Amino acid sequence: MHKRHLLRASAAAAALMALATTLPAMAQDNVFKIGLILPMTGQQATTGRQIEAAARLYMAQNGDTVAGKKVQLIIKDDTSLPDVTRRLAQELVVNDKVNVLAGMGITPSAMATAPLATQSKTPLVVMAAATSSITEASPYVVRTSFTLPQVSVALADWAPKNGIKKVVTLVSDYGPGIDAEKFFNQRLAFNGGQVTEALRVPLRNPDFAPFLQKVRDAKPDALFVFVPSGAGAAVMKQFLERGMDKAGIKLIATGDVTDDDQLNDMGDGALGVVTSHHYSAAHPSPLNKKFVEAFEKANKGLRPNFMAVGGYDGMRVIYEALKTTKGAGGGDALLAAMKGQVFESPRGPVFVDAQTRDIVQNVYLRKVERVNGQLYNVEFDVIKDVKDPGKAR
Ligand code: VNL
């Protein structure tokens, strides 16, 4: 009797052991992992907050089971230091065996991760960083944000038609800023205008005051600015404090400056500022109205900015690729299913160019206005289906 008990017990234990070893393997097979690396703290923290919120919203709206797999989002904070981004990406690929890497708050983070995407054949969905050359750093990069050449050129077409001939440019001194400076300058010159001075400010802890003083003295028709998301409010504040507007200098910028994350707190001084960009929370489509409403509801009234849309659409691209491949075939199959996707985004119609893996989208000219008591970038013109002009170098 005693012996039979023992036997039965050990058989049960053996069965349990077997189950315990196969369970993780099974679970592994049925889980689809997205390693989302973002700046959640530090200077670029708002970008991380916006993209995380958007990714979670997308999952809440579309469920976390796709093609029979459980989608797992693994979020890591790189504090926007590229060495940290690379280390986290390595850990996610090697230890967590993620199916897709995503996020990338700034260009240096994307550049640091690109070689790893290539070596491990892991698609890297760039949701924020916007230097043109990022998609060329690895054939596994797919971008759902935008590029600075894409949005800068539209403003250089608008300016000379609106009395702006002489312009000083002021950009953050790294990839996207240099892209913005170069493409704005070339296009303005082509249109008969002129950049009289090109100023660059450091990315980390910039002090705009001495640069703005220079601009005041030079007295151009306008100052063109690019700074990354999160730095726009400081530029606006100092521009107004120095009375640049009263001195007759117009502020024109990429939409990174009149960032929806900060715009409503910039005050009436921001009224009338013209920018060009791919997304405004005020974009008047039914889909965007729904998106903004759902985003604000899920995030205590936080307004989504262009980073949120890059994250939301990035999740869309990943989900649809998983559906198409039914979760089989690995990184190469996923990548192939990401290329060429066409869909309606909250920003308007977009597609992922199958050749360049970059996003093709409308670029809008917008003006800051008060709508229902709040400051918004109100679109007044559109250039349709703009490809990244940076690719033709
Ligand atoms: C970049 C470009 C970052 C535009 C941004 O905000 C931005 C980048 C953090 O490529 O680093 O608005």
Side-chain angles (χ1 to χ4, degrees), residues 309-354:
V309 169
Y312 192 76
D313 291 346
M315 290 297 287
R316 193 271 181 201
V317 166
I318 296 167
Y319 263 54
E320 289 305 314
L322 177 53
K323 275 185 207 163
T324 306
T325 58
K326 302 189 173 59
D332 283 315
L334 279 172
L335 181 73
M338 289 178 182
K339 294 179 189 176
Q341 285 192 27
V342 185
F343 57 99
E344 193 194 348
S345 155
R347 64 186 107 178
V350 300
F351 69 92
V352 179
D353 187 317

Side-chain angles (χ1 to χ4, degrees), residues 88 99 135 251 276 284 344:
L88 292 172
N99 301 86
T135 43
L251 176 64
S276 55
E344 193 194 348

Side-chain angles (χ1 to χ4, degrees), residues 44 47 105-107 129-131 146 148 174 176 226 228-229 256 306-307:
Q44 257 68 52
T47 292
I106 57 171
T107 289
T131 301
F146 70 109
L148 267 303
Y174 77 120
F226 163 79
S229 183
D256 309 75
F306 60 101
M307 294 301 186

